Each structure stands twice: as C-alpha cells, then as structure tokens.
Amino acid sequence: MNSHRTWHLDGKPDDKSFSLASGMSKTRLAIVLALAVGIGFMIGILIGTYAICDEVTRDGLYLPGAPDNLVSEADPSISKKIMDAIDPARIEANLRILSEFPHIAGSQRDFDLVKLLKDNFEESGLQVQITPYDVLLSYPSEGSPNTVRLLDGNNTVVYDAKDDESNFSSYRDVVPPFNAYSPSRAVEGQLVFAGYGRVEDYEWLLTIGVNVSGHLVIVKYGHIFRGDKVDIAARYGATGIIIYSDPADCTGQNMGDNRVYPETWWLPPTGAQRGTIFSGDGDPITPGYPANDLAYRYSEETVEPPMPQIPCHPIGYGAAIKIL
Ligand SMILES: *[C@@H]1O[C@H](CO)[C@@H](O)[C@H](O)[C@H]1NC(C)=O
Ligand SMILES: *[C@@H]1O[C@H](CO)[C@@H](O)[C@H](O)[C@H]1NC(C)=O
Ligand SMILES: *[C@@H]1O[C@H](CO)[C@@H](O)[C@H](O)[C@H]1NC(C)=O
C-alpha cells in the first residue's frame, strides 16, 4: 500500500524545498512472544550486572534505601550456586547468535529465534509455551523505501539522502531506515531546524518570529521520545519531520575521538536510528489487552493515542549535513 500525495507550499520560486517520500506499508502479522524467555534473560542480565558491580559493600544484593530484611539473603549458598553456574563464554555465544542478523518484529528471523530459545529452555528442563498474537506492525515499502530529497527552484532533485546511506545489499535482512507507523505520503516544503523538537524549542522559535506551521521540520534525536517529537511537530503545524542523530550526541568528537564504527563503536555518518513513533504502548489497535482472536480492535483511525499524523523519516548526520 503506497499512497503518494504531495503538498506544495507557497514558497518563493527560488526557495529550496525538501520532500519526504514515504512508502510505508502496514501489515498485520502474527508475532510470537516468549514472555518466560524474556524474563529469564532479564534475570540473567540483572545477575550479570550485580556480579560485576565493584561497589558491593556487603554480601548479597544491596539496594540503597531498602530495608535489610527485604534484600538480605536467607541462604547465600543459593545465590552462590546460581552465580557459579553462569558462564560468560556462553552468554557471549548466545548473544552472538541472537544479534548476528537483524530480526525485526514479525520477521521469519524473529520467529526462528523464538523457536531456538524455546528449544534451549526446554533442553534445560523448562516448560515454554509459544502464544501467537495478531498485532499491527509497520514496515518500509520494499519497492520504494522512504527518503528525504532536496529540490531546487525547478523541482529538480539536487540531493537524495539515499546517496549517504550504507549499501545494505551485502548484509542479510537489514531494514532500510524508517520510523514505524509513520503515515504513508509525500510532503514538500521549506525546512526549519527545531533543535530537539521539544515544546520549548518551538516556543523559542515563535519568540524569534519563526512559525513552523505549513513547513517541514528537522530535529535532533535525544532528550525526549521520538514519537513525542512527531506529535509535538504536528501540534505546531509542521507537515513532516526529519530526525537525525547529531554527532555531538553520538560520537566521541567532544572527547577528541574522531573514529567511528567499524573502527570503534561511535555512530558513523550513515547511521540512522530506526524505531517506532507511535506514542502508546504495545499493539496500537488493541491497547491494554492481549492482541488475540477475542480482542476488540480499533480501526487505525480511532486508535488512542492517535497514530502519528505527519510523515517522519530518520537520517544519518552524513545526510543532515547536506540539507542543513
Ligand atoms: C531553473 O531552470 C531555468 C531554465 O533552465 C534556469 O535558467 C534556472 O537557473 C534554474 N533554476 C535553478 C534554481 O536551478
Ligand atoms: C552495493 O553492493 C553490491 C555488492 O556488495 C554491489 O553489487 C552494488 O553495486 C552496490 N551498490 C551501490 C549503489 O553501490
Ligand atoms: C502559526 O501559523 C499558523 C498558520 O498561519 C497560524 O494558524 C498560527 O496561529 C500561528 N501560530 C502562532 C503562535 O502565531
């Protein structure tokens, strides 16, 4: 499902304008949730966290402010037994398997990992049940993935953010940059930089006489949830929003380290943060209830809180530099 509508603004003829092309398809897919498995991992992570904590001043778990009788161990030999059974080499091997390839929710890879975890836990003697859910998910269109383009006064494309994206074709299952649940349409207009896209950023713009209404905004990732950035931009009348990761927030340049991945872990110019922009929790069309056969389902139009109202697309700072 690709709908492409375009809004033209009354910009001066020689104004540069930007377009956000969004080819988003939303598909309902059955996904599975292995809750027991997740909790098991959480416990593993917690144990790992406390195991390497060097500030422990007494035996066992120490929670500041919690009464001793709630956190002291009745039998420290039990926690010792658990700690001794944890093998860092196995954690590393498992993490490698789980993170080796992307596994976006609802994908075959995701389901394969669920089955793998189920098998592993069953081998350890646990009972695991896989429960299918039918939820609303959002994916970029394979044929025309989203992008941001810079147009000149003659509507000729002078720059396409795609040019500064990684070449994903040699990687397995990589999903191109997108923000889930963005509405599917193309918007065009002048671009306004709006800081981190918080209410105070738009209020400050108004104090200097800049009203983003009818324009596209570009904001930095950080400080608030990306979905709130989209909702706030829409509330101030923006017609579309671009979000990028600022080098000052995601590289080591402030500490004098100019290296980026793959040399080190800092974000490279091509890195674009994906993620949902729906500001509710869980499945948008069955909020608060399990998305099973019995659930009442909202239509996409009546979802509370509403689905994102304006198109949104994430880019890397390599692309942001070109259009800012
Ligand atoms: C638009 O096209 C006209 C005619 O080809 C050209 O003279 C003009 O420089 C172009 N404007 C821009 C901004 O490229
Ligand atoms: C991307 O990489 C593949 C193989 O790694 C290559 O065949 C293709 O030409 C590359 N595409 C671009 C646009 O660089
Ligand atoms: C911003 O512009 C819109 C459209 O012209 C207008 O409706 C709105 O009142 C303006 N906002 C402020 C705070 O001036």
Side-chain angles (χ1 to χ4, degrees):
M1 183 191 76
N2 273 335
S3 63
H4 286 277
R5 284 185 278 157
T6 309
W7 275 260
H8 291 277
L9 290 169
D10 298 323
K12 293 178 219 83
D14 58 348
D15 284 337
K16 280 182 176 175
S17 65
F18 297 81
S19 74
L20 259 177
S22 169
M24 196 77 75
S25 61
K26 295 202 187 73
T27 318
R28 273 192 220 172
L29 277 191
I31 65 158
V32 292
L33 195 69
L35 196 56
V37 167
I39 290 170
F41 261 83
M42 237 5 241
I43 292 170
I45 289 165
L46 283 176
I47 291 171
T49 305
Y50 284 103
I52 57 169
C53 176
D54 55 15
E55 280 177 2
V56 172
T57 53
R58 64 180 99 174
D59 285 345
L61 189 64
Y62 172 61
L63 293 177
D68 270 1
N69 61 344
L70 288 184
V71 294
S72 64
E73 294 185 85
D75 182 355
S77 74
I78 295 174
S79 61
K80 183 175 184 321
K81 202 169 167 185
I82 293 172
M83 296 293 278
D84 290 348
I86 291 173
D87 176 359
R90 280 184 56 189
I91 293 178
E92 187 179 346
N94 284 329
L95 198 56
R96 179 165 293 282
I97 293 168
L98 295 174
S99 60
E100 196 169 11
F101 301 106
H103 50 97
I104 190 169
S107 65
Q108 183 60 44
R109 174 72 184 166
D110 208 38
F111 190 50
D112 291 346
L113 290 180
V114 167
K115 287 186 286 193
L116 183 83
L117 291 174
K118 180 175 190 282
D119 291 348
N120 281 357
F121 277 87
E122 282 176 345
E123 261 170 44
S124 310
L126 297 173
Q127 277 186 359
V128 182
Q129 185 190 335
I130 294 180
T131 309
Y133 292 101
D134 183 5
V135 304
L136 183 76
L137 295 174
S138 169
Y139 302 102
S141 150
E142 276 181 22
S144 64
N146 305 348
T147 191
V148 170
R149 296 191 195 97
L150 179 58
L151 312 177
D152 70 9
N154 292 333
N155 265 356
T156 308
V157 176
V158 294
Y159 173 70
D160 191 325
K162 286 249 149 314
D163 301 343
D164 278 302
E165 263 164 28
S166 300
N167 180 354
F168 302 119
S169 52
S170 57
Y171 300 96
R172 180 176 143 184
D173 294 345
V174 171
V175 182
F178 84 115
N179 287 120
Y181 304 108
S182 165
S184 178
R185 61 175 179 250
V187 287
E188 192 173 316
Q190 287 176 274
L191 191 63
V192 179
F193 175 70
Y196 286 101
R198 299 161 296 188
V199 168
E200 58 261 44
D201 294 310
Y202 293 98
E203 289 298 321
W204 181 80
L205 283 173
L206 286 170
T207 67
I208 59 163
V210 177
N211 181 346
V212 302
S213 181
H215 300 302
L216 303 181
V217 294
I218 181 166
V219 304
K220 298 186 279 186
Y221 265 115
H223 289 290
I224 59 171
F225 172 52
R226 62 179 98 74
D228 293 335
K229 293 176 193 282
V230 181
D231 293 345
I232 294 168
R235 210 189 304 155
Y236 280 88
T239 54
I241 176 169
I242 300 163
I243 317 181
Y244 74 99
S245 302
D246 191 74
D249 295 326
C250 57
T251 69
Q253 64 169 212
N254 289 345
M255 296 177 292
D257 184 355
N258 287 321
R259 295 171 307 158
V260 296
Y261 181 86
E263 273 184 87
T264 181
W265 57 46
W266 300 118
L267 192 76
T270 51
Q273 185 191 127
R274 289 107 167 122
T276 180
I277 53 169
F278 176 61
S279 45
D281 294 321
D283 176 29
I285 57 175
T286 59
Y289 292 90
N292 59 22
D293 288 348
L294 302 173
Y296 169 77
R297 286 184 158 72
Y298 285 119
S299 74
E300 279 184 52
E301 287 68 42
T302 56
V303 165
E304 287 282 339
M307 299 291 268
Q309 300 296 299
I310 56 173
C312 174
H313 186 61
I315 58 174
Y317 57 86
I321 287 167
K322 304 276 174 62
I323 62 174
L324 273 171

